Amino acid sequence: MPRGFISRLIHRPVQILLLACVPALLGAQEHTLRVTFPRDPARSSTIGVFRQDGILYGSLNDLATTLSLASSENTAQRRLEIKQPPLRLRVSGNNPFLILTDQSQRQRVYQLPTRVIHAGNSYFIPLVTSIPVLNDGFNAGLSLDVLGRTLFVG
């Protein structure tokens, strides 16, 4: 038996296993977006995302959790409400509107260029066009680096 044959034989399955994992790891990166808090890096997290027709959608459920905003869902009406008193943000699946309501019940209605998508128990919003609304309503200080796949908070 040639020298090193056993060593190569043992390492070959490990190499094959690693090569098989690379596409799965890259795929996971395609479906997540880093959320970074420059002033508090320990809070950094990820949210679920996907692209459809060239538009980057992000999970509003994940974003609310990351920003420590209260949320409630009416599953029968496919509606999600995010709360940070004195404001509430309401979205509905398959609807292009984001509705901000203040404590006096005055509403500001924002029409997005595309609909909110309800999938996998989450409400996905088109991030680029929704961030100004979230900043307006919750003073979140969000900025999106699409190429760097990062959402900055603060």
Side-chain angles (χ1 to χ4, degrees):
M1 215 172 277
R3 199 161 209 228
F5 175 76
I6 299 294
S7 174
R8 285 193 306 269
L9 190 62
I10 292 171
H11 286 91
R12 177 64 92 206
V14 172
Q15 291 170 342
I16 291 171
L17 179 63
L18 288 173
L19 287 174
C21 291
V22 168
L25 291 172
L26 292 175
Q29 288 177 350
E30 287 178 17
H31 297 290
T32 60
L33 181 74
R34 269 189 322 258
V35 179
T36 301
F37 293 78
R39 293 185 193 129
D40 187 6
R43 282 188 67 193
S44 295
S45 183
T46 59
I47 63 169
V49 296
F50 68 89
R51 274 195 189 279
Q52 181 175 306
D53 299 326
I55 297 170
L56 181 65
Y57 287 84
S59 168
L60 184 57
N61 304 64
D62 292 351
L63 189 56
T65 300
T66 300
L67 297 175
S68 301
L69 300 172
S71 66
S72 61
E73 180 182 12
N74 181 327
T75 53
Q77 294 183 345
R78 292 177 51 170
R79 183 176 291 158
L80 179 70
E81 189 171 272
I82 307 296
K83 301 170 196 159
Q84 183 182 39
L87 293 176
R88 295 183 330 238
L89 172 72
R90 191 174 68 226
V91 300
S92 297
N94 295 321
N95 190 315
F97 297 100
L98 299 179
I99 302 169
L100 276 174
T101 306
D102 66 17
Q103 61 192 11
S104 301
Q105 301 304 314
R106 287 185 300 236
Q107 293 184 337
R108 288 181 275 169
V109 179
Y110 299 87
Q111 184 170 2
L112 301 171
T114 185
R115 64 188 172 92
V116 172
I117 297 174
H118 182 251
N121 295 324
S122 281
Y123 293 82
F124 290 88
I125 56 175
L127 286 175
V128 171
T129 53
S130 299
I131 285 174
V133 177
L134 296 172
N135 284 337
D136 182 39
F138 298 117
N139 199 23
L142 301 174
S143 62
L144 179 63
D145 176 1
V146 176
L147 295 178
R149 299 192 57 78
T150 304
L151 180 64
F152 295 96
V153 182

